[in-house]
Amino acid sequence: VTTTAVRPAALPVASVELDWFDPSRQRPVKVTVWYPVGQQCQANSRGAKAQLCLHPATDVSQSAMFSHGAMGAAKGYRWIGELLAAQGIVTVGLNHYGESWIYGPEHVNHRTVLQFGLRPQDARFVLDQLELRQQDATAPLLSQPVNWQNLTAVGHSSGAATMLALAGAHYELTKAPVYCKTEAAALDRSCGYLPSKAVLAKVAVAAGQDYQDARVKRLIALDPAMGHLVDAASLARITTPVLVVGSVQNDFLPYAAHAGFYAQQLAHADRIELTQGEGHFVYLDSCRHQHQALGVSLCQDRAGVNRKQVQQQLAPQLLTFVMASQG
């Protein structure tokens, strides 16, 4: 376990990485937790102290979970974790094995991107674990019980599609070959992940299953991917409040086929359009490395785009949505 203190905001915030393992799938699941940090944990009636000491002002009535984009990691979106935790919301970031670099480069396999069904299963496993560990008085994770039944789900790109699956979206991966031959897909970088028909048929069944989870009460989709593969009828049935944030002059996912399509089809969606040249990766923390995704830089934005300013402008809008959609 590695704990790192971060700069204080409305409430002081800390982060911790936890290593978990899902025995039913023989799959590791690392989680990054941002939380309002307290000074000292008191022992409970069993004489046990919690692993994470929450601030007395923590909003235990709600919680949040984040899913990263393809080949990413939760810690690459620290601004979101800190934003929510500073408002008192314990926020758990998923790190999807096979995609996330947090497990080490030897465990990264680009073909895992196609195994979309693994992602919502990771989310459900982690939520189950959080609830189970909360009930364990002998080794409590948190110093105060948090309501994991009142969850804000947040995701970027395929992470947003992951969270939409938890809200009830169904995906049909077999649509990909047809779509990727169309003129509309000419600038769609996601077609670079297109596998052989045999592989597609193998992974399509798991991706198309129903992963709806009633614990998700509101959802923030940051430039969501897989709009060309989602079943529009399933989106129309979603009653969960959703905020769709999309980059209109997109350098990776055409807005009309992805974020714009979701916003149009979801019956209970608010929309924020970024129209000043912001690209698909403006939602990541500011960075300086040279890594690219299918030829698009993860760190370098277009001329005139200030990533930190974009995120600072988005932050109050995201918080307003979270608070306004409380049931």
Side-chain angles (χ1 to χ4, degrees):
V1 176
T2 305
T3 304
T4 307
V6 295
R7 65 175 179 80
L11 291 178
V13 174
S15 66
V16 61
E17 292 179 8
L18 306 173
D19 290 317
W20 291 350
F21 187 80
D22 182 356
S24 67
R25 298 184 295 150
Q26 290 295 295
R27 180 173 169 83
V29 184
K30 288 179 180 283
V31 294
T32 303
V33 184
W34 292 274
Y35 62 102
V37 62
Q39 293 298 315
Q40 186 174 359
C41 288
Q42 300 296 319
N44 63 17
S45 59
R46 302 287 291 273
K49 288 188 177 181
Q51 185 174 351
L52 306 183
C53 185
L54 300 182
H55 193 280
T58 298
D59 184 355
V60 296
S61 70
Q62 62 174 311
S63 52
M65 175 175 281
F66 178 82
S67 176
H68 62 75
M71 318 312 295
K75 66 192 304 181
Y77 302 83
R78 188 178 67 182
W79 74 277
I80 294 174
E82 291 183 13
L83 173 70
L84 295 171
Q87 297 302 311
I89 304 172
V90 177
T91 303
V92 178
L94 303 171
N95 294 286
H96 301 288
Y97 180 73
E99 292 188 52
S100 181
W101 47 263
I102 202 171
Y103 295 91
E106 69 276 16
H107 296 286
V108 174
N109 183 345
H110 286 72
R111 287 178 293 181
T112 309
V113 173
L114 303 168
Q115 297 176 279
F116 178 76
L118 296 172
R119 285 171 152 269
Q121 291 180 70
D122 287 344
R124 297 183 72 168
F125 165 75
V126 169
L127 283 171
D128 291 344
Q129 285 298 303
L130 289 165
E131 293 190 324
L132 285 171
R133 291 168 190 248
Q134 190 158 275
Q135 298 167 11
D136 184 359
T138 62
L141 177 63
L142 304 174
S143 59
Q144 302 176 54
V146 170
N147 186 1
W148 300 107
Q149 298 284 333
N150 183 17
L151 185 78
T152 297
V154 188
H156 171 231
S157 194
S158 54
T162 300
M163 295 316 200
L164 282 158
L166 294 184
H170 296 171
Y171 292 92
E172 302 174 34
L173 267 60
T174 53
K175 289 181 176 181
V178 175
Y179 165 79
C180 288
K181 290 179 181 178
T182 65
E183 185 177 343
L187 299 178
D188 196 325
R189 300 279 181 159
S190 69
C191 287
Y193 293 117
L194 189 65
S196 66
K197 289 184 179 180
V199 172
L200 194 61
K202 186 176 180 180
V203 299
V205 175
Q209 292 181 11
D210 184 2
Y211 296 106
Q212 188 168 5
D213 194 308
R215 290 172 287 198
V216 174
K217 295 298 192 294
R218 65 205 64 81
L219 196 156
I220 298 174
L222 303 173
D223 219 31
M226 298 178 62
H228 60 308
L229 305 178
V230 71
D231 173 25
S234 71
L235 293 181
R237 293 192 294 268
I238 292 176
T239 58
T240 306
V242 181
L243 174 62
V244 179
V245 184
S247 299
V248 177
Q249 289 93 37
N250 215 294
D251 52 1
F252 200 88
L253 301 176
Y255 178 79
H258 296 279
F261 182 77
Y262 282 111
Q264 184 179 48
Q265 298 298 321
L266 287 160
H268 300 273
D270 293 329
R271 181 189 315 205
I272 296 175
E273 294 181 341
L274 303 184
T275 60
Q276 302 302 309
E278 301 90 346
H280 183 61
F281 298 108
V282 75
Y283 309 93
L284 286 163
D285 289 341
S286 296
C287 51
R288 294 183 178 179
H289 60 72
Q290 301 301 312
H291 296 307
Q292 296 184 342
L294 299 177
V296 179
S297 173
L298 300 181
C299 297
Q300 186 172 351
D301 299 303
R302 292 186 177 113
V305 175
N306 185 311
R307 186 172 296 196
K308 285 188 177 180
Q309 286 184 3
V310 172
Q311 294 170 1
Q312 289 171 354
Q313 291 167 2
L314 277 177
Q317 298 178 80
L318 302 186
L319 291 177
T320 297
F321 170 79
V322 171
M323 300 310 174
S325 58
Q326 295 290 328

